[in-house]
Amino acid sequence: MPDNLSPQELALEFALTVHRNQYLAPEDNTVRAILEITASSPFGAAEADPPVAAEVIIIDTSNSMNEDGKLVMARRAAIAAVEMLRDGTYFAIVAGHSEAEQVYPPAGVMVRATADSRAAAARALDSVRAQGGTSMSTWLRLADQLLDGSPAQLKHALLLTDGFNVEGEQPLFAALRACEGRFACDCRGIGDDWSWTQLREIARVLNGSCEPVAINQLADDFREVMASSMARLVPEVAMRVRLARPARLEHFKRLMPDIEDLMPKADFVNATTVEFPLGSWAEEVRHYQIQITLGRADMRVKKEELARAASVEIVASAPGGPTVLDKKSILVTWTDDILLVAKTDPMIRRYEGQDKLAEGVADAVRAWEDGADDADGKLGRQVALAHRIHRMDVLEMLSRIVVIEDPGLGKVKLRPRESVARRDLLHLSFASEQPRGSAKLRREPQGDADAEDDG
């Protein structure tokens, strides 16, 4: 976490709320809770003094971007993003093809946003032409180099592609490891031939979002992304989990604004303390899910006694060391009262099955793409789960891949492979990772199939 802001200088106040099923059956050793974090400005975000920000806008300019007017729309979207920058924000524009080419400014540095620099960036974008293939590892390394040279506290990139990394995944993931923790990156895919797996991994490692976007909605999406980035007021906070002995942390996930398994980012400080980076924040609310294995015998408590399974803290770095911004305990009680055990916290009920749906859809899509014999069974199980938890948006996307004969039973029949558009698989993967009712399906207009991508 950055150590250049003291808690008194933070533009946001953080509040932590724990939602959990307090009462457990005597034999139950699984403790689950939803952690709700609310970040708010005491004087309103408009009155807050935002940290200095730096933005790198990366647009794919490989040969495939010549098709369907994609490059024209990408240039317009980049200009729209630059227009959203606050005055004084450091920025640069990168054209990504077989190599990373800095479009503006040309000197290997970043420039601050002014009326003149925005106009110069738009002129520079007019000269960008499509060439070569897709080497996203070089794009990310140039973004890292540029952002590292800026004095900004908030560092962010926006990456757009219509293809997949032709170098293979090893160079891409090596670049990601080098960039992790240094800046955030939102990813956008257009067309049918980009890799959800690769873009999702970039977004996961670099604390960003990954979405499919229709070509004709690209400029609006870039405006939204940049507006969201400009609204960030705190560069970084973390969640610290202190476990009771001998509790074991099973998982820690973000559930809103989207689903993200955060266990790969866990920093095991010691045997009972784990920290998770939560990224930069605007005025917003986020939800996280925690699961702990801990039985009554482990706690050596009697039935009906209240026990602390863990304490959770929101922490920020400061010159004198990490400071706790808010702290709560996860308390549970073991009881024989089946009526108390049967009570489910409304927040936990809201997210019931959501993480299982995201994981299940990812597995089912892989099975379908690989032509696995059990693809229909896996897709059927996701149909049944989506039906049970009332995810009609996901159910509708599944119906484009299978004929649903009985949603309750998950009885389905695979549609002919040639009738399934790849964009439907991309939209299904995206929709399954969104909270109920929040999926933004930015669908392409129906028409002729896109031309083949060069990769």
Side-chain angles (χ1 to χ4, degrees):
M1 292 183 294
D3 59 4
N4 51 354
L5 290 177
S6 70
Q8 292 75 27
E9 294 174 315
L10 289 178
L12 298 174
E13 292 180 349
F14 288 82
L16 175 61
T17 304
V18 175
H19 304 269
R20 90 285 188 203
N21 294 336
Q22 177 179 326
Y23 297 97
L24 304 177
E27 68 279 5
D28 195 351
N29 64 353
T30 301
V31 179
R32 299 181 182 88
I34 304 295
L35 308 176
E36 181 176 23
I37 301 179
T38 302
S40 58
S41 174
F43 306 108
E47 301 299 322
D49 186 18
V52 178
E55 297 283 348
V56 175
I57 300 163
I58 308 168
I59 59 170
D60 188 336
T61 60
S62 61
N63 280 323
S64 58
M65 290 291 288
N66 267 329
E67 303 292 339
D68 303 320
K70 287 183 282 190
L71 184 56
V72 172
M73 299 305 287
R75 288 198 298 251
R76 291 176 184 174
I79 293 171
V82 170
E83 290 172 349
M84 296 298 295
L85 298 176
R86 281 194 308 269
D87 284 347
T89 298
Y90 290 88
F91 79 99
I93 300 173
V94 170
H97 42 86
S98 301
E99 299 176 353
E101 176 186 351
Q102 189 169 344
V103 174
Y104 182 84
V109 295
M110 303 185 78
V111 67
R112 305 196 84 161
T114 64
D116 289 343
S117 63
R118 291 187 187 92
R123 290 193 297 272
L125 278 162
D126 282 340
S127 65
V128 171
R129 297 294 179 264
Q131 59 179 312
T134 304
S135 177
M136 286 186 276
S137 65
T138 66
W139 311 354
L140 291 170
R141 290 188 184 278
L142 178 55
D144 183 37
Q145 176 186 330
L146 290 167
L147 290 166
D148 186 53
S150 83
Q153 298 162 311
L154 281 165
K155 299 181 179 184
H156 174 259
L158 171 56
L159 184 153
L160 168 73
T161 186
D162 73 335
F164 56 90
N165 204 57
V166 294
E167 313 163 290
E169 294 187 343
Q170 187 172 353
L172 175 59
F173 293 164
L176 276 178
R177 287 192 295 272
C179 295
E180 186 172 8
R182 295 168 62 82
F183 63 94
C185 183
D186 289 309
C187 299
R188 295 295 184 264
I190 54 173
D192 287 351
D193 296 316
W194 55 279
S195 168
W196 173 265
T197 301
Q198 290 179 356
L199 281 200
R200 190 68 187 87
E201 184 65 7
I202 295 172
R204 184 193 69 78
V205 173
L206 300 183
N207 284 325
S209 63
C210 176
E211 295 186 19
V213 183
I215 296 170
N216 62 348
Q217 297 175 357
L218 201 53
D220 285 342
D221 179 78
F222 270 40
R223 289 188 188 96
E224 289 178 18
V225 173
M226 213 50 61
S228 176
S229 181
M230 291 293 97
R232 301 296 184 197
L233 296 173
V234 175
E236 180 72 77
V237 296
M239 173 72 75
R240 180 184 294 155
V241 180
R242 297 186 186 274
L243 300 165
R245 290 183 181 271
R248 185 172 69 250
L249 181 63
E250 297 295 344
H251 75 233
F252 186 80
K253 295 181 178 181
R254 185 178 65 233
L255 296 179
M256 191 184 79
D258 56 9
I259 294 177
E260 183 65 73
D261 180 8
L262 296 178
M263 286 301 288
K265 298 185 178 184
D267 177 12
F268 291 88
V269 179
N270 55 46
T272 60
T273 306
V274 190
E275 285 193 4
F276 297 92
L278 303 185
S280 59
W281 286 70
E283 281 198 299
E284 59 185 302
V285 178
R286 299 185 195 174
H287 294 157
Y288 298 84
Q289 181 186 66
I290 188 170
Q291 181 172 311
I292 299 166
T293 296
L294 182 70
R296 184 169 67 89
D298 300 323
M299 296 295 290
R300 299 179 181 177
V301 297
K302 297 178 181 179
K303 283 185 289 188
E304 313 300 337
E305 286 185 350
L306 203 58
R308 179 183 289 108
S311 65
V312 287
E313 306 167 352
I314 306 171
V315 296
S317 288
T323 300
V324 177
L325 304 177
D326 200 4
K327 175 180 178 179
K328 292 291 188 300
S329 294
I330 301 175
L331 304 172
V332 293
T333 304
W334 283 270
T335 179
D336 288 322
D337 190 330
I338 60 174
L339 294 178
L340 290 176
V341 171
K343 288 184 177 180
T344 302
D345 182 274
M347 184 67 77
I348 291 179
R349 188 163 58 245
R350 169 183 173 181
Y351 286 109
E352 181 186 12
Q354 177 173 305
D355 54 337
K356 291 184 176 63
L357 183 65
E359 293 171 2
V361 163
D363 184 48
V365 168
R366 281 194 299 269
W368 186 92
E369 290 181 320
D370 294 342
D373 293 337
D374 60 347
D376 57 343
K378 290 184 173 182
L379 286 164
R381 285 191 286 276
Q382 302 321 303
V383 165
L385 177 55
H387 176 74
R388 179 171 65 83
I389 65 175
H390 308 292
R391 286 301 302 269
M392 297 302 108
D393 54 337
V394 175
L395 203 60
E396 192 272 333
M397 296 307 303
L398 283 163
S399 72
R400 296 173 178 236
I401 303 167
V402 295
V403 177
I404 301 175
E405 297 179 345
D406 188 325
L409 297 176
K411 186 178 179 181
V412 302
K413 182 170 63 177
L414 290 178
R415 293 188 183 276
R417 184 169 286 265
E418 62 273 12
S419 72
V420 178
R422 190 166 184 278
R423 70 187 60 178
D424 291 333
L425 298 173
L426 297 170
H427 282 297
L428 171 60
S429 297
F430 169 66
S432 69
E433 293 191 1
Q434 309 308 303
R436 182 180 300 160
S438 70
K440 302 179 294 180
L441 294 184
R442 304 174 187 274
R443 296 178 185 163
E444 302 281 358
Q446 296 299 311
D448 295 335
D450 291 346
E452 273 190 22
D453 190 355
D454 66 330

